[in-house]
Every structure is written in C-alpha cells, then in structure tokens.
Amino acid sequence: MNKWYGRHAWRSGLRNMKLQNKFMVSYLLVCMIPVLIVSAVIYRWASSSLEDSALEFASLYTSQIEASLNEFIEEYDKLTKSVLIDNDIISRLSREEAMSMDEQIAHKLTVERTLMRVAVLKPEISSLVLISRNNRVHQYTNTSNVVNEGRLLGQDWYKRLHDSKETFFITPAHDRSYYEGNGEGAVFTVARVLLSSDGSYAGVLLADLDTFQLLKLNQAFVVARDRYDMRVVIGTGDGEIVYHSDAASGKMTWREIWDSGLTIAEEGSDSLIILSGRAESGGLTVKTEIPRDRLLLKIGKMKYATIIVILVCGVFIVVISMALSYTIIKPIKELRRSMKQAETGHYAPIEKAASGDEIGSLVGSYNKMIVTIRTLIEDVYIAEIKQRRAKFLALQNQINPHMLYNTLESIRMKALVKEQDEIADMIKILARMFRLALGKDVAQNLVRHELDYAANFLRLQNIRFGDRFRFESRLDSAVLERPMIPIVLQPIVENSIKHGFLEYSRMMTIVVDGRELPDGGLLLSIADNGCGLPPEKAAALNELLREAGGGRLKLDEAGDGPDQGIGLRNIAERLRLHYGEASRIRVGGGQGKETTVEIYIPGEDRGGEV
C-alpha cells in the first residue's frame, strides 16, 4: 500500500509540475546522463590506466634492480673468490698458531698485500677484514678508521656467520660501532667463507660497504619517488633490511629505521602496494613499495577534475536549459496571462511580436480569437445588456401593476367622494398611462399606443398648466398599426414642454406626423412651436445622437445621467439597439423657429427588428 501511494504521489507530483520545470528536468536528464556516463567511463579508464602505468613502471624498475643486484653479487662473488686462488694463504690461516714470529710477520704482510690488491680493484670498499678460524684479524682500510677486533668478533651478525651453510652471503645493514672513533652511519658486509683443501673452515673474508653502494638511485627513480613516494627495500632471506631507499636518499636515517623496527613486508596491505623480486644468488630480495594513498592521490585529483568538469557541464546545461525553456515558456506564460485576463472579462490580445514557430502560430490564432470575441461581446452581448439597462431605466419605477392600479383606483375613488373631480381625472389619466407602459412588451407595442401614452401625458400637463398645450396627430391608420418600441414619443413631448414652453401667454402646439416610406421604413416627426433651438446647440445635439447610436458601444453609456431621465440620447441608443444601424433620430430647427424631432425606423428588409 505504501509503495502504491509513493508511486501515485510521485506521478501526481510529476504531472502537476510546472511546464518550465518539466523542460529543465528533461534537458538535465537528457544532457547530464550521457555526461555522467562518459565522465565515469573516462575516469575509470584513466584511473585504471594510471594505476597500471605506475605498477608497470614499478615492476620494470624492480626488474632493473634485480639485474643490478645480480651483477653486483656476481662481481663480488668473483672478487672474493680471488682470495681462494692463493692456497698458500689459506693453508697458513689453518696453522697460524704453529708459526714462528718471522713466519707470522711474513704471513701478515702477505695477507695485507692480498687484501690491498682486492681493495684496489673496488675503491668503494671501506674496509676489508680477514678472520682466521683462530679469530686472528687481518684488516686493510683505505681510511683512517681501524676496526676494533674485539668489538667486531662480538657483533651478532658475525656470530650468525658460523651457523650459515652458505659460503657467500651479504649481511643486513648494521652500524659501525666496531670502528675506532667512528660509529656513525651504516654499512653492509659481503662475506666469503674460506675453506682449506680438506674442506674444513679456514676463515672468513669480510668487505664492508656503505649501504648506498648496493644500489645507486638514478634520476628516473628520483622522479618516480617524488611523484608516488616509492620506496625500494633490499633485504635478506630472513626479512632483515640491507638497503632502504629512504636512508640512501637522506629522507630517513638508519637509526630511525632501526628504532622503528621496520622489516620487509611480504605482501601488500591496504596502505601499500608491493612488488617483489629476488636476486638469483646471494639470498637477497627486492621489494618496491608504493603507498596506495599517493598512487590514488593522482587518481583522486583526476576524480576531482572529473567532478569539476561535470559541475561545469551541469551549470552550462542548466543555463542553456533555462534559456531554452524560458524562450519556450515565455510566450506560453503570456498566453496564459492573457487567458486569465479574458476570464475576468478583459479581452486584450497579446501585443508582443510572436515567433514563427508553432507557439507563435498559436499566439496569432489566440489574438484573432480574442479580437473576434471582443467584437462579438461589444456588438451583441454589451448591446443586449445596454438594451436591458435602457429598459430598466425606462421602467425603473415599475412595481406590481395590480397593486399600483388598485392603489391609484382607491385614491381616485377617495377624490370623487371628496368631490375632487380634477384630482380624480389626473389619477385616472396616470393609471391609464401606467397600463399603457407596463401592460405590453416590445412586440405588442404599436404607434397608436405610443400616441395614446403621449396624449395622456399631455392631458396631465394641461391639468397642471391650465390647458396651455394642444396635441395634434396627423397619422393615418396604417401608421398607427405599425409596431415600435415603447416610451419614445412621450420623452420627446416632455422635452418639448421642458425646453420649448416658456410663455404662459400663448398656447403651445405639439404635432405628431408620420408616413410610411417606399423602402418599408417609417418616418415620424414631432414638432412644437416653442421658443426654438439655437443652431449650434442643435448641431451639438445631433452629433451626440450620432455617437450614441453608432460606433463601438460602451457599457457605461447606457443612460443620459442620473438627472436627465429618459432623454433623446437614450431613445437613439434604444432605436439603434433594436432596429440596427439604419435607424436614426435627428433634431431640426432654429432660434425662434419650430423645433422638429424626426425618427426613422427601417423596415424588415433593411435589417430592422420590428
């Protein structure tokens, strides 16, 4: 269950991830996986090659050391055998105690000349000592250092010589404590056991050499040592050290090596890589030691370099992926932002230049759609809203008709009881007007209803102003039966009284005339003989009526203002909304002249909705 939930949550998170993040993750996966694979392969190959190269170099160098040791041992084996050629010396060593004083002096001189001859052949030998089986010591040295015979015979390494079955061997490195006045430093000893003609032990020849004489470091090893901290250790078969490269190079002293108890490691460890070799004679072993951490240090640097390369590639890929995803996502975000605005009713196209790709084509199509929607909304939806708002403005005082009629009838009856006939007539006229205004919808309203409504309005005004208005109709029966929108003539009659009636001394006449036109349209005119309308005001009013009736419709222009009621502008808008662009209303007249308001309602063949 938990596994299913985890997979479901992971899929849901991936599905809900932002598109820009999806693009970035995709770019990173597509680019970084090959980079990681290639880097890992190159790193493994390079590190393996580096380790193999180091081991190959160490193995080759070990082989060279083996060859050098074999050459050294062979050379000193021949050198020490030269003493065996002189059988007279060996035979005398066996009977030194029975010699006379003169014979002993002559024998000593003979031995010293032999030792000198050997030392001359090898100047690197610091001291040659020949010890008979009676422990008589004959020595030759090319320095001022003299071997102390007692100390020499007490050395542990010398005591072990008698237990050895070999006739030629090399001792481990030891100190120089048996030298008079100079016990510092270390030497190793090349030993040759001397046998008499009958095979018995006659003595031993010892040649002391400085440890660095066994193997001289070349420049290649110095470079490898500094690079990998390599060490070459030559030892005996018992694991004792004869030569150590750290001591020969001065990196360590022999005293430090002895005090640390270092021996030749037989096998490698976690800290050392060991390559082994063995000399063909002399019982010497060669160990080349390479610290793993130093060898892996180069590999570690390579690993860090690989990581840096991966990080640099990662940063580069991230930057590129961000730039590419931003290029792709930016127009989508602009499209999304514009769609959000469209959800709130703000239909604005994306004004930024679109690219030529599929997204740019999508943006272009969206802009066309927005323009179309906005046009439809402005021409249809807002028009319908304005029509309803205009109707609401015209009927904003509408209440329940039955309650209104009953109330007005109750008031009229009360007035009749009180013998207020004039008030009763006014209420009766007002009730009739309400019935005309509230009782019919647009489809049922006719010109005669409008005329009746305007006539009743004027009757109320005559009661108010003392019969100062005369209302004439010159409409024939065909015109009277033409349908038209309600509340059109009454506002015009009201405007005539409001703006044209200024003198109580004379009667004001309002004439409604009209005719059907050959195109099926209807032309109505409402004229009054009031004070007239100045030409400039008439021109401004006609311009306002044209703007109200045509062009882009604005939702906030549905009325004439809170204090103007249902004016000419409202009538112009409602005519245009109901009958289309062909309908019109125009004001004519002049100062002191008759003022005329003409209304044109197109027929059905002109697109009117009559």
Side-chain angles (χ1 to χ4, degrees):
M1 183 66 180
N2 292 333
K3 292 182 178 178
W4 178 88
Y5 179 77
R7 289 195 298 268
H8 180 73
W10 180 80
R11 291 176 182 174
S12 178
L14 182 62
R15 186 166 52 251
N16 297 329
M17 185 184 296
K18 290 186 177 180
L19 186 59
Q20 184 173 6
N21 295 335
K22 288 182 180 179
F23 275 120
M24 289 188 60
V25 171
S26 300
Y27 289 144
L28 288 176
L29 290 178
V30 170
C31 297
M32 288 302 297
I33 289 178
V35 170
L36 291 174
I37 293 175
V38 171
S39 300
V41 171
I42 293 176
Y43 168 72
R44 292 294 299 273
W45 174 80
S47 60
S48 178
S49 299
L50 179 62
E51 185 173 356
D52 292 343
S53 299
L55 295 177
E56 183 179 358
F57 172 80
S59 178
L60 179 63
Y61 195 75
T62 301
S63 299
Q64 292 177 347
I65 293 174
E66 292 177 11
S68 179
L69 283 179
N70 289 329
E71 183 180 354
F72 177 86
I73 292 173
E74 182 180 358
E75 186 177 0
Y76 273 84
D77 183 48
K78 293 178 179 180
L79 181 66
T80 55
K81 282 181 178 179
S82 63
V83 180
L84 299 176
I85 299 175
D86 197 339
N87 292 326
D88 185 50
I89 293 178
I90 295 177
S91 63
R92 288 179 182 180
L93 289 175
S94 303
R95 53 185 181 83
E96 281 182 336
E97 295 178 356
M99 289 183 184
S100 61
M101 183 62 67
D102 293 336
E103 289 177 337
Q104 290 181 6
I105 294 173
H107 173 66
K108 183 176 183 180
L109 292 174
T110 301
V111 172
E112 289 180 354
R113 282 197 299 271
T114 302
L115 297 177
M116 181 180 67
R117 185 176 66 250
V118 174
V120 169
L121 294 176
K122 289 293 182 181
E124 65 270 16
I125 297 176
S126 59
S127 176
L128 271 173
V129 178
L130 194 151
I131 304 174
S132 66
R133 67 179 180 181
N134 297 322
N135 292 329
R136 289 201 176 193
V137 178
H138 303 275
Q139 62 176 304
Y140 174 81
T141 179
N142 54 9
T143 65
S144 59
N145 296 327
V146 180
V147 174
N148 186 302
E149 297 177 3
R151 295 178 186 172
L152 174 60
L153 297 177
Q155 296 292 313
D156 292 336
W157 59 267
Y158 175 73
K159 293 177 181 180
R160 292 198 301 269
L161 290 178
H162 294 284
D163 299 331
S164 176
K165 297 179 180 180
E166 301 290 335
T167 58
F168 178 82
F169 54 87
I170 297 175
T171 67
H174 50 81
D175 59 26
R176 303 165 62 95
S177 59
Y178 55 89
Y179 283 89
E180 296 287 350
N182 187 9
E184 298 295 330
V187 294
F188 70 95
T189 301
V190 178
R192 165 68 70 178
V193 176
L194 303 178
L195 302 175
S196 61
S197 57
D198 57 359
S200 60
Y201 176 77
V204 61
L205 178 65
L206 305 175
D208 288 346
L209 292 90
D210 286 332
T211 55
F212 65 84
Q213 296 294 339
L214 182 61
L215 181 66
K216 295 182 179 180
L217 301 178
N218 56 20
Q219 186 62 31
F221 178 80
V222 173
V223 173
R225 181 200 65 190
D226 295 339
R227 180 179 300 172
Y228 302 113
D229 196 22
M230 291 175 54
R231 291 187 294 273
V232 176
V233 182
I234 301 174
T236 64
D238 297 331
E240 296 180 291
I241 297 176
V242 179
Y243 172 88
H244 201 293
S245 60
D246 285 350
S249 62
K251 191 174 182 179
M252 295 178 67
T253 64
W254 276 104
R255 181 55 57 191
E256 291 174 344
I257 294 175
W258 292 328
D259 292 342
S260 63
L262 290 177
T263 58
I264 296 180
E266 293 295 333
E267 297 180 354
S269 62
D270 294 338
S271 60
L272 289 177
I273 298 175
I274 297 179
L275 300 177
S276 302
R278 178 176 293 274
E280 296 179 358
S281 59
L284 298 181
T285 59
V286 180
K287 304 288 184 181
T288 302
E289 300 176 355
I290 305 175
R292 287 185 183 273
D293 56 347
R294 292 301 298 271
L295 178 62
L296 298 179
L297 180 62
K298 297 289 184 179
I299 300 176
K301 291 181 179 179
M302 188 178 300
K303 178 174 70 176
Y304 295 142
T306 304
I307 293 175
I308 291 174
V309 170
I310 292 175
L311 292 177
V312 171
C313 291
V315 172
F316 180 76
I317 292 171
V318 168
V319 173
I320 294 299
S321 64
M322 289 179 64
L324 290 176
S325 61
Y326 178 77
T327 302
I328 297 174
I329 296 300
K330 184 180 179 181
I332 297 179
K333 286 185 175 180
E334 292 291 337
L335 184 60
R336 182 173 179 270
R337 185 180 300 110
S338 182
M339 293 176 70
K340 287 288 186 181
Q341 293 176 350
E343 290 177 1
T344 62
H346 181 67
Y347 297 93
I350 300 174
E351 298 180 355
K352 295 183 179 179
S355 58
D357 55 9
E358 290 80 357
I359 297 178
S361 177
L362 180 62
V363 172
S365 299
Y366 173 79
N367 286 339
K368 293 179 181 178
M369 181 186 69
I370 286 295
V371 171
T372 303
I373 291 175
R374 189 170 63 183
T375 302
L376 290 174
I377 289 176
E378 290 179 348
D379 291 348
V380 178
Y381 181 67
I382 293 182
E384 182 179 355
I385 293 177
K386 290 183 67 178
Q387 188 176 14
R388 292 185 178 182
R389 286 189 59 182
K391 184 177 180 181
F392 173 77
L393 183 61
L395 305 176
Q396 60 182 341
N397 294 321
Q398 178 179 354
I399 59 175
N400 188 293
H402 296 290
M403 182 190 72
L404 178 63
Y405 301 153
N406 293 335
T407 303
L408 290 176
E409 185 64 19
S410 297
I411 297 173
R412 191 176 76 85
M413 294 303 296
K414 192 74 173 178
L416 289 174
V417 171
K418 295 292 185 180
E419 297 182 353
Q420 297 290 332
D421 296 335
E422 186 177 18
I423 295 176
D425 289 340
M426 292 179 67
I427 294 174
K428 183 178 180 180
I429 295 170
L430 181 61
R432 181 173 177 79
M433 290 180 64
F434 278 134
R435 288 182 184 275
L436 291 172
L438 304 179
K440 296 178 176 64
D441 56 20
V442 176
Q444 297 174 334
N445 196 68
L446 303 177
V447 173
R448 61 183 176 84
H449 296 142
E450 284 295 293
L451 190 64
D452 194 9
Y453 187 80
N456 281 287
F457 171 78
L458 202 58
R459 288 176 62 191
L460 285 176
Q461 300 303 316
N462 278 326
I463 295 174
R464 175 185 175 189
F465 292 101
D467 294 324
R468 294 293 177 182
F469 306 107
R470 183 170 58 250
F471 186 68
E472 295 183 6
S473 174
R474 301 175 183 175
L475 302 176
D476 58 23
S477 58
V479 173
L480 290 175
E481 297 301 320
R482 288 286 296 264
M484 69 178 299
I485 60 175
I487 315 179
V488 173
L489 299 182
Q490 182 270 331
I492 298 175
V493 172
E494 184 179 358
N495 279 338
S496 296
I497 296 173
K498 182 177 180 180
H499 301 289
F501 179 69
L502 296 177
E503 299 180 10
Y504 285 86
S505 60
R506 67 186 182 92
M507 181 74 68
M508 182 178 183
T509 302
I510 299 174
V511 180
V512 179
D513 195 1
R515 69 182 186 277
E516 291 183 310
L517 300 178
D519 61 0
L522 177 64
L523 181 63
L524 298 175
S525 66
I526 302 93
D528 67 78
N529 60 351
C531 63
L533 188 67
E536 62 275 7
K537 188 173 182 180
L541 184 57
N542 284 322
E543 180 66 24
L544 179 63
L545 294 177
R546 281 194 296 272
E547 291 179 356
R552 289 291 179 223
L553 300 176
K554 305 295 184 180
L555 187 60
D556 56 353
E557 295 177 356
D560 288 356
D563 57 348
Q564 295 184 22
I566 306 173
L568 294 178
R569 184 178 178 185
N570 177 272
I571 296 173
E573 286 190 351
R574 289 194 294 127
L575 287 172
R576 187 62 56 89
L577 289 171
H578 196 81
Y579 297 111
E581 297 291 330
S583 64
R584 67 177 179 272
I585 180 170
R586 189 178 67 85
V587 179
Q591 186 71 36
K593 297 181 179 180
E594 185 180 74
T595 301
T596 303
V597 178
E598 290 185 348
I599 299 174
Y600 172 70
I601 299 175
E604 294 183 0
D605 58 339
R606 299 293 299 273
E609 189 179 332
V610 295

